[in-house]
Amino acid sequence: MEYNILIIGGNGLVGKTMARILQTRNPHFNIFIGGRKGGSTDRSLKIDVTDPDTFQIITDKKINLIILSVNDKSDHVLRYAIANKIDYLDITKPTPDLVKAYDIARKTEVNSRIVFSSGWMGGIVPGLVNVLSKDPNDIRDVKLFVYYSVKDLAGESSAHFMAENVAVPFYDYKNDQPNPIRHFLNTETFDFSFGIGKRTAYNFDVPDLYILNKVERIPNVSVKMTYNSKFITWLLGSFQYLRIFNILSLKERKMIFGSSGNGDQAVFEVVIKDKNGDKKLSLQSKKGQAELTALSAVLHTEELVRNPHENNIYFSHQLHEPLSLLSQLNAYETININIVQ
């Protein structure tokens, strides 16, 4: 059967990486790229997420799955996918936008697979959390530690996300209650794997906080992040402590977060506590965050195509058996995973 996939935002770094991996692994898929400027081939579609009048071509091309890799604050694409019974996978939303989109989907009759994959590295963290415990209901505490390199090859959207949200308070969870916090405060020292060593890590908002507490019902959830540069990590903490971000314009904040190197590793570590003690999973993407985010989206896409999941609303980790997800990530040549129990 012919399968048509549309990547909206496919001209960005993650979108291009996703298209490359998806086509290499699945040469029988027809992959279309959607963007505001269109393109010179019949696989390049002119689609503007702010203008639903441009969406008719999605139906004309008989698209089976829309992958959203660009910010759609008004959820026009989500509404179109639901109305036209098209499968939908979103990897882009910060926490407040995810909560809003999830609420829209829950209040609408859904006759396709609507998948929210917004989360650290394409929404794989909750699935890996469930790898670490025989019974996920026993998990009482999850801590996610993120190592990010300023030398990583990062797209414009990463800088824009941080610039928009760095001064906005958010929540982690303690004893099943939301705890208001801000980025780059409340330090915690963590000994990172893969030769990185001890680093001071700061508050960082990712949708996994909401997903692990509200969906997976884990009562204590926190996320901390550190940069490869200890000075930059300290500087960002100082800016937040002094509330300098609050007086900077969006353009000025984007200049702070906009540096992008030619490539470096990305690492995250998941530490859980259940009735049997502490367990840790460490994951290294040697080609950085864009490669891992794109790979995760590809794995979700392949799962949707391969298995007849019912029409419903999902978070991406709910599509996978946890050990199967772990195995597929482990099999990828630039991913290293270690588990300590």
Side-chain angles (χ1 to χ4, degrees), residues 292-322:
L292 181 53
T293 300
L295 172 64
S296 300
V298 167
L299 295 180
H300 307 328
T301 298
E302 291 173 344
E303 177 64 21
L304 281 170
V305 175
R306 182 169 53 241
N307 289 322
H309 295 279
E310 295 181 0
N311 294 335
N312 209 336
I313 303 164
Y314 299 90
F315 290 92
S316 54
H317 71 281
Q318 295 172 330
L319 299 175
H320 302 272
E321 289 294 327

Side-chain angles (χ1 to χ4, degrees), residues 16-302:
K16 286 180 179 177
T17 307
M18 198 187 314
R20 168 177 58 80
I21 298 172
L22 194 57
Q23 196 73 83
T24 300
R25 292 163 61 106
N26 305 276
H28 55 292
F29 288 172
N30 297 321
I31 299 175
F32 295 83
I33 303 299
R36 285 179 297 175
K37 296 181 180 179
S40 57
T41 73
D42 62 352
R43 296 287 178 89
S44 299
L45 310 183
K46 188 173 183 179
I47 296 172
D48 183 348
V49 298
T50 67
D51 181 7
D53 289 342
T54 65
F55 295 175
Q56 179 58 41
I57 198 168
I58 299 174
T59 303
D60 294 343
K61 292 293 185 179
K62 297 182 171 59
I63 298 300
N64 302 103
L65 169 65
I66 299 169
I67 303 175
L68 190 64
S69 182
V70 68
N71 198 3
D72 177 19
K73 280 191 169 294
S74 298
D75 293 300
H76 290 312
V77 178
L78 170 63
R79 297 175 199 271
Y80 187 87
I82 292 173
N84 291 275
K85 303 178 183 179
I86 301 170
D87 290 343
Y88 167 95
L89 174 69
D90 188 336
I91 65 170
T92 61
K93 295 188 182 301
T95 308
D97 293 349
L98 171 65
V99 174
K100 179 168 70 77
Y102 183 42
D103 195 48
I104 290 170
R106 286 191 294 176
K107 292 178 179 178
T108 312
E109 183 180 348
V110 168
N111 292 292
S112 59
R113 281 90 58 87
I114 303 299
V115 183
F116 295 109
S117 187
S118 296
W120 190 248
M121 299 294 99
I124 58 173
V125 169
L128 295 176
V129 166
N130 289 334
V131 167
L132 293 173
S133 183
K134 292 180 180 178
D135 185 352
N137 293 321
D138 290 338
I139 300 174
R140 307 303 301 163
D141 186 287
V142 173
K143 292 184 177 182
L144 172 64
F145 293 93
V146 171
Y147 170 88
Y148 176 72
S149 172
V150 295
K151 296 184 289 184
D152 196 356
L153 184 63
E156 182 182 343
S157 58
S158 296
H160 188 83
F161 167 80
M162 282 307 305
E164 260 195 334
N165 293 283
V166 67
V168 179
F170 64 100
Y171 299 99
D172 64 8
Y173 295 88
K174 298 186 185 305
N175 298 317
D176 213 23
Q177 297 297 315
N179 175 49
I181 53 176
R182 291 190 295 148
H183 286 93
F184 303 121
L185 297 180
N186 306 111
T187 63
E188 184 171 347
T189 300
F190 184 76
D191 193 1
F192 282 86
S193 306
F194 308 107
I196 296 169
K198 289 185 178 180
R199 295 297 179 109
T200 300
Y202 294 76
N203 293 340
F204 190 63
D205 183 24
V206 293
D208 307 88
L209 288 162
Y210 173 85
I211 295 167
L212 288 168
N213 178 259
K214 299 300 183 184
V215 178
E216 291 298 303
R217 304 307 312 168
I218 295 169
N220 299 286
V221 187
S222 66
V223 178
K224 304 280 187 180
M225 191 264 268
T226 191
Y227 283 82
N228 67 309
S229 166
K230 295 179 181 180
F231 173 73
I232 289 176
T233 308
W234 171 83
L235 186 66
L236 293 174
S238 299
F239 271 37
Q240 188 69 287
Y241 179 77
L242 297 171
R243 296 186 179 266
I244 293 174
F245 289 121
N246 297 63
I247 61 176
L248 296 177
S249 68
L250 178 63
K251 182 178 180 180
E252 289 168 331
R253 283 185 248 148
K254 284 179 73 172
M255 290 175 64
I256 293 172
F257 293 103
S259 61
S260 177
N262 296 317
D264 197 5
Q265 67 174 342
V267 170
F268 70 80
E269 316 225 17
V270 180
V271 180
I272 76 155
K273 185 186 295 290
D274 65 10
K275 65 181 182 181
N276 296 311
D278 293 355
K279 299 163 191 176
K280 182 177 76 168
L281 182 148
S282 307
L283 187 148
Q284 175 196 47
S285 173
K286 291 192 286 186
K287 292 188 72 173
Q289 66 165 348
E291 186 84 5
L292 181 53
T293 300
L295 172 64
S296 300
V298 167
L299 295 180
H300 307 328
T301 298
E302 291 173 344

